[in-house]
Amino acid sequence: MKILVVGGAGYIGSHTCLDLHAKGFTPVVFDNLENGHEEFVRWGPFERGDILDTDRVHEVIARYQPEAIVHFAALIEVGQSVQAPLAFYRNNVAGTISLLSAARRAGVRRMVFSSTCATYGLPQHLPLTEGHPQRPLSPYGRTKLMVEDILRDMSGADDFRSVSLRYFNAAGADPEGRIGEWHEPETHAIPLALEVALGRRRDFKIFGDDYDTRDGTCVRDYVHVMDLADAHSRAVQYLLDDGASISINLGTGTGTTVKELLDKIEAVTRRKLNVVEAARRPGDAPVLVADNELAREVLGWSPRYDLSEIVGTAWNWHSRSNM
Ligand code: UDP
């Protein structure tokens, strides 16, 4: 059974292909390689193309006749979205409309969509449940919320169905070290700290140590990319079993401060990190932790990797790769 994985050459997309393949699906990757890596396409055919090119997407869907689409293709860097909002609205919103038009024309009516906890904005209560108001703090978060809204509206119009998965902090890598996190430029805490451990970067800057948290640094819910991948395969199966449209959090429910994360990284790598205090990063919520009951109930999902394994698999990848 074929699944079209749009943006399947990226970080979470490539790990999802690995998992889909292990569960008996054939992942067909569609990616423009602007941020993806062709060497990450290892578990099925590759078609290069851009989601804004509706005819090209339609051609690929018509050729492979996938049962469902898993849609990762997006610009993801929050800071860039503030600097270049139009590029984000074009790629993330107009691009998705183009993809949906092609899918509709080709008769594919099932989609799993990469959404984010960034759609919630500043938490009014914790842990964050799916019913929490969605008031994103950045253009990036707004593009993701807009697509969630579009998908909801489409489900009301005909038998189109979708699952929007709201990720918390994706981290870690394939335990066998074949693929991993590779962003350019890198902005995420774990890869940046590992680069410091490897001597490829001088220091790790803690963005704010005066938050109202247990040690003053921000709390995040780090979830292993293989657990996210597993949730995507489950969401595909849920849609193939005629599940209704839904939005679901993907997080562990456990919060980790930046300082706790750095302690864990020092323990796993057995290296001392050069850490410096820096100013708060605009738009950072002090605490983001998921309520994951819905994922457990609806998808039968539960996270299998803890923070040590997240850092361990990321370290295994980073220390062996030259990214
Ligand atoms: N962070 C940091 N220094 C860095 C990068 C990130 O202190 O160089 C902090 C950031 O403020 C946040 C956490 O680490 O609290 C995770 O940030 P990341 O960018 O990895 O993910 P985000 O939470 O923004 O999705």
Side-chain angles (χ1 to χ4, degrees):
M1 200 175 278
K2 297 188 201 81
I3 307 296
L4 186 69
V5 184
V6 178
Y11 173 44
I12 306 174
S14 59
H15 287 81
T16 297
C17 289
L18 195 177
D19 190 77
L20 282 167
H21 179 261
K23 290 178 175 146
F25 295 101
T26 299
V28 177
V29 171
F30 185 88
D31 200 298
N32 66 5
L33 297 183
E34 243 172 63
N35 295 303
H37 312 287
E38 196 166 354
E39 48 276 57
F40 281 11
V41 182
R42 302 173 52 139
W43 292 279
F46 175 53
E47 295 286 344
R48 187 168 183 169
D50 197 296
I51 48 173
L52 282 158
D53 184 348
T54 315
D55 289 339
R56 170 74 181 129
V57 183
H58 180 262
E59 177 193 310
V60 170
I61 297 176
R63 174 158 359 122
Y64 291 95
Q65 308 266 318
E67 300 297 319
I69 297 174
V70 187
H71 174 31
F72 295 96
L75 299 176
I76 59 159
E77 218 276 290
V78 174
Q80 275 177 9
S81 80
V82 176
Q83 299 306 318
L86 258 194
F88 277 67
Y89 287 106
R90 188 185 305 112
N91 273 276
N92 298 5
V93 182
T96 300
I97 293 170
S98 165
L99 170 63
L100 285 166
S101 309
R104 204 180 152 73
R105 214 196 312 157
V108 177
R109 296 184 196 283
R110 302 285 178 268
M111 180 178 282
V112 179
F113 171 62
S114 294
S115 189
T116 167
C117 67
T119 58
Y120 293 121
L122 217 55
Q124 295 172 11
H125 62 77
L126 287 161
L128 286 153
T129 52
E130 287 82 357
H132 186 283
Q134 290 180 289
R135 296 201 191 97
L137 301 172
S138 68
Y140 163 71
R142 279 189 281 280
T143 64
K144 290 290 179 177
L145 177 55
M146 283 178 188
V147 172
E148 281 200 19
D149 286 340
I150 292 168
L151 293 173
R152 261 190 291 266
D153 286 343
M154 286 185 62
S155 309
D158 55 27
D159 76 338
F160 178 86
R161 290 204 198 88
S162 65
V163 178
S164 291
L165 296 174
R166 297 181 186 152
Y167 316 147
F168 282 66
N169 285 59
D174 165 26
E176 292 184 34
R178 292 162 292 188
I179 52 177
E181 187 165 11
W182 176 7
H183 295 120
E184 286 170 29
E186 190 52 76
T187 62
H188 295 100
I190 294 177
L192 288 177
L194 294 177
E195 287 176 15
V196 175
L198 286 165
R200 295 178 192 160
R201 198 176 279 271
R202 207 182 46 205
D203 55 33
F204 182 90
K205 294 180 180 55
I206 295 183
F207 294 150
D209 62 355
D210 57 350
Y211 285 98
D212 185 17
T213 60
R214 50 185 176 265
D215 62 20
T217 64
C218 288
V219 173
R220 292 291 179 272
D221 182 337
Y222 297 93
V223 53
H224 199 287
V225 67
M226 289 308 302
D227 282 328
L228 294 181
D230 171 48
H232 286 77
S233 300
R234 289 170 184 268
V236 166
Q237 194 56 56
Y238 165 85
L239 288 174
L240 298 181
D241 294 341
D242 277 337
S245 291
I246 192 166
S247 297
I248 301 176
N249 284 340
L250 292 179
T252 64
T254 300
T256 304
T257 69
V258 177
K259 284 187 178 165
E260 289 163 353
L261 177 66
L262 296 173
D263 287 345
K264 180 63 77 180
I265 291 174
E266 288 190 335
V268 168
T269 63
R270 299 207 195 105
R271 299 187 190 193
K272 184 93 191 105
L273 298 178
N274 183 21
V275 174
V276 298
E277 314 293 348
R280 290 185 178 195
R281 187 171 62 176
D284 262 343
V287 182
L288 293 171
V289 176
D291 180 311
N292 63 17
E293 271 312 305
L294 198 62
R296 291 175 188 274
E297 238 171 71
V298 173
L299 302 178
W301 177 83
S302 56
R304 295 161 301 180
Y305 295 87
D306 66 13
L307 190 65
S308 298
E309 292 161 316
I310 288 174
V311 173
T313 54
W315 175 238
N316 178 43
W317 158 258
H318 273 272
S319 52
R320 285 202 276 167
S321 71
N322 290 314
M323 278 91 230

